[in-house]
Amino acid sequence: MKVFNTLGRKIEELVPLDRTHVRMYTCGPTVYDFAHIGNFRAYVFEDLLRRRLKHAGYRVTQVMNLTDVDDKTIRGARAAKIPLSEFTGRFKTAFFEDLKTLNIDPAERYPAATDHVPEMIALIRRLIEKGVAYRSNDGSVYFSIAKFPAYGRLSQDVVGRKAGARVAQDEYEKENVADFALWKAWDEGDGDVGWDSPWGRGRPGWHIECSAMSMKYLGESFDIHTGGVDNMFPHHENEIAQSEAATGKSFVRYWMHCAHLVVDGRKMAKSLGNFYTLRDARNRGYTGREVRYVLLSAHYRQALNFTLSALDGARASLGRLDEFRAQLREVAGGAGGGSLPDWAAKARDAFKASTENDLGISDALAAVFDMAREGHRVMNGGGLKPGEAAGVLELLDDLDRVLGVLAKPDEKPGSDVEALVRAREAARRVKNWQEADRIRNRLKSLGWEVKDAADGPKLKKR
Ligand code: AMP
Ligand code: ZN
């Protein structure tokens, strides 16, 4: 596989430290609110990456952290007048539900920051002992960027290091590059949140969290570190500085960043108020599968403009694939997989070649749709043998191990499907046949056939 490495800005052959096993770390959510679709662009990209690696035969160990202590979570818990863990617990639960809705394969581990404060304290201690971190008068600890000459290697254009200047916030602009906080001394605003440390009561900064937890679970050097481009500076730059200054080893081999999901040219973000959550999309009648498809279908390094009409487009595309699969099933009957027709073998090869080249999803999807078009044509002419249809069906399912967008054959109808069936019944009762047919088609696009029997409607997976 080849991937674009932000460190060095070029496409490189992916060679894991352990030949057969890829270790990757993913910056996860700050659990102070529901994640928005922009955040999920990053998680869907990482899911595509891990699925493609597994498809290529690698074992994958992915670690995704949960940031459950920082300014935003503390502020939220205080506003809600509940303990921090109860507040963040709600959003952790919601996050895992959303991952399921989007068919994102679970990471191997989801360490929470609050469970790893001793590891962070130990790492900060190491940095102080090495002389690259220092305690300030208020009991906070800062990383001294002047002591780490390689600082700025990842983001490349870090300017004007201000010797001795400090930033206490976790997020800041490149113009303000300065010594950043590893440990933040307790203050009023923290309420009852705090841990004892050699430097007094306080809490860890955001950056140290990812260094401590990634190295704990993946080793001091590992293969891939991912996130959205906004994580590159200062977060990932600071992670490199902390980790390499402490261990003297190279921290991560391949840094991969996805471009932003944008709305009218601006990053989708909580702070800009231009965001949609997955729940918003579902309330408008869209499924997780449709959202996943939109997020997946643009190359991860290209900005992706989010619109509702893109979700409609996803519905149409997925409908074509479902249709193709239903027709293949009919032709295959009970046949076992036979030889692949040329047009299907061509799609398989094109899919493999494009996804192994830095996850070239557009060409991969084009290959799948070309296959569907050709397959329809051949089947309509009666020219596909049952064994061949079974072979194509197997191929389609195999490609979906990477894409994760096809409706699952053994799926039980979800609550949205059941609601549609009820809505259709209601329309039929008042003889609104047009509406009933519209809903039937909607169910069809979701992969369900509805048959009207004497004792009511029956659902069958297409
Ligand atoms: P946060 O909860 O803000 O730390 O973000 C979690 C993940 O979502 C990080 O990898 C961010 O880089 C990513 N992210 C945030 N906003 C966007 C966006 N609009 N498009 C793509 N990724 C994003
Ligand atoms: Zn991180």
Side-chain angles (χ1 to χ4, degrees):
M1 291 235 343
K2 290 200 173 87
V3 297
F4 182 86
N5 192 349
T6 310
L7 194 63
R9 305 280 195 284
K10 57 177 192 296
I11 303 232
E12 289 176 28
E13 187 71 40
L14 179 87
V15 185
L17 286 164
D18 171 348
R19 215 170 41 81
T20 56
H21 180 184
V22 175
R23 294 177 177 83
M24 73 186 242
Y25 185 84
T26 296
C27 288
T30 305
V31 278
Y32 72 107
D33 203 342
F34 298 112
H36 58 69
I37 294 178
N39 299 127
F40 285 114
R41 177 172 201 202
Y43 306 129
V44 166
F45 142 62
E46 288 139 358
D47 183 52
L48 176 65
L49 176 62
R50 65 169 280 139
R51 282 168 175 267
R52 184 60 183 85
L53 289 167
K54 290 191 100 168
H55 198 259
Y58 290 109
R59 175 180 157 209
V60 174
T61 302
Q62 181 189 11
V63 175
M64 184 191 287
N65 67 305
L66 302 170
T67 301
D68 59 354
V69 54
D70 80 322
D71 291 346
K72 290 180 272 196
T73 44
I74 292 174
R75 214 182 301 130
R78 294 198 82 181
K81 297 192 169 58
I82 52 175
L84 181 65
S85 60
E86 189 183 328
F87 178 75
T88 57
R90 290 179 187 171
F91 296 110
K92 285 181 194 173
T93 307
F95 179 67
F96 288 116
E97 280 170 13
D98 288 354
L99 291 183
K100 243 194 177 143
T101 302
L102 289 173
N103 199 19
I104 292 176
D105 279 348
E108 280 59 34
R109 272 179 194 279
Y110 293 98
T114 53
D115 292 332
H116 295 78
V117 176
E119 285 86 342
M120 298 182 221
I121 290 176
L123 186 56
I124 297 171
R125 248 199 169 127
R126 236 166 126 184
L127 290 168
I128 293 178
E129 279 160 16
K130 296 228 163 170
V132 292
Y134 60 91
R135 186 173 185 273
S136 65
N137 288 336
D138 70 344
S140 294
V141 179
Y142 286 87
F143 184 93
S144 173
I145 56 168
K147 302 274 174 58
F148 188 72
Y151 193 86
R153 216 160 27 123
L154 183 70
S155 19
Q156 287 188 352
D157 52 352
V158 166
V159 284
R161 302 175 177 216
K162 301 199 188 74
R166 290 177 204 146
V167 279
Q169 290 81 21
D170 288 326
E171 291 174 79
Y172 49 92
E173 301 299 319
K174 278 185 193 158
E175 297 72 53
N176 302 326
V177 58
D179 292 357
F180 57 89
L182 300 169
W183 185 261
K184 301 182 181 194
W186 183 89
D187 72 25
E188 301 280 279
D190 292 348
D192 59 359
V193 177
W195 288 262
D196 290 327
S197 80
W199 319 287
R201 195 165 171 75
R203 60 179 163 103
W206 172 39
H207 314 297
I208 197 72
E209 157 188 347
C210 285
S211 285
M213 301 200 289
S214 62
M215 292 199 288
K216 170 165 181 172
Y217 294 110
L218 298 171
E220 292 182 344
S221 296
F222 57 92
D223 303 304
I224 304 180
H225 195 311
T226 60
V229 277
D230 55 330
N231 281 164
M232 215 156 93
F233 183 87
H235 186 48
H236 291 164
E237 199 69 70
N238 292 352
E239 275 188 52
I240 295 175
Q242 298 159 157
S243 308
E244 299 196 349
T247 67
K249 294 179 191 158
S250 156
F251 176 44
V252 167
R253 292 155 62 89
Y254 307 92
W255 287 88
M256 295 178 70
H257 294 99
C258 72
H260 280 146
L261 186 70
V262 300
V263 180
D264 299 328
R266 294 170 66 179
K267 172 189 172 189
M268 183 181 281
K270 286 267 155 56
S271 57
L272 295 175
N274 62 352
F275 63 91
Y276 272 94
T277 63
L278 195 51
R279 279 140 229 270
D280 296 332
R282 301 247 287 174
N283 288 338
R284 285 172 179 265
Y286 295 103
T287 62
R289 197 158 82 99
E290 287 159 355
V291 176
R292 177 181 174 89
Y293 188 87
V294 169
L295 298 178
L296 191 75
S297 55
H299 189 262
Y300 75 94
R301 284 192 289 116
Q302 271 167 2
L304 169 60
N305 194 40
F306 178 76
T307 58
L308 292 175
S309 67
L311 286 170
D312 295 327
R315 179 170 297 173
S317 302
L318 290 168
R320 285 214 294 283
L321 292 184
D322 291 343
E323 198 73 46
F324 180 45
R325 192 154 70 161
Q327 199 180 1
L328 284 168
R329 279 223 182 91
E330 248 161 60
V331 174
S339 66
L340 273 186
D342 283 351
W343 45 267
K346 198 173 123 210
R348 177 196 59 201
D349 297 346
F351 185 94
K352 175 169 182 289
S354 39
T355 48
E356 76 191 1
N357 184 16
D358 195 32
L359 305 177
I361 191 71
S362 316
D363 288 347
L365 287 174
V368 172
F369 283 101
D370 284 349
M371 169 168 82
R373 201 175 313 111
E374 186 60 18
H376 266 309
R377 204 182 57 76
V378 176
M379 284 189 281
N380 290 343
L384 196 67
K385 298 192 193 85
E388 288 175 324
V392 178
L393 209 47
E394 269 174 23
L395 170 63
L396 196 57
D397 286 340
D398 184 55
L399 301 183
D400 197 54
R401 282 169 52 212
V402 178
L403 300 173
V405 295
L406 291 180
K408 299 203 181 58
D410 52 354
E411 212 170 41
K412 294 211 168 49
S415 54
D416 35 352
V417 169
E418 279 165 2
L420 282 171
V421 173
R422 282 196 302 276
R424 183 170 168 275
E425 281 308 284
R428 280 163 53 87
R429 272 197 299 277
V430 298
K431 302 201 179 347
N432 185 348
W433 308 120
Q434 204 183 345
E435 176 66 2
D437 280 351
R438 193 192 65 78
I439 299 174
R440 177 198 284 280
N441 286 333
R442 177 76 190 106
L443 283 163
K444 214 165 163 184
S445 77
L446 293 171
W448 296 93
E449 196 78 65
V450 49
K451 291 238 157 47
D452 295 305
D455 56 342
K458 296 270 171 301
L459 276 179
K460 200 175 130 237
K461 195 79 203 162
R462 278 153 48 82

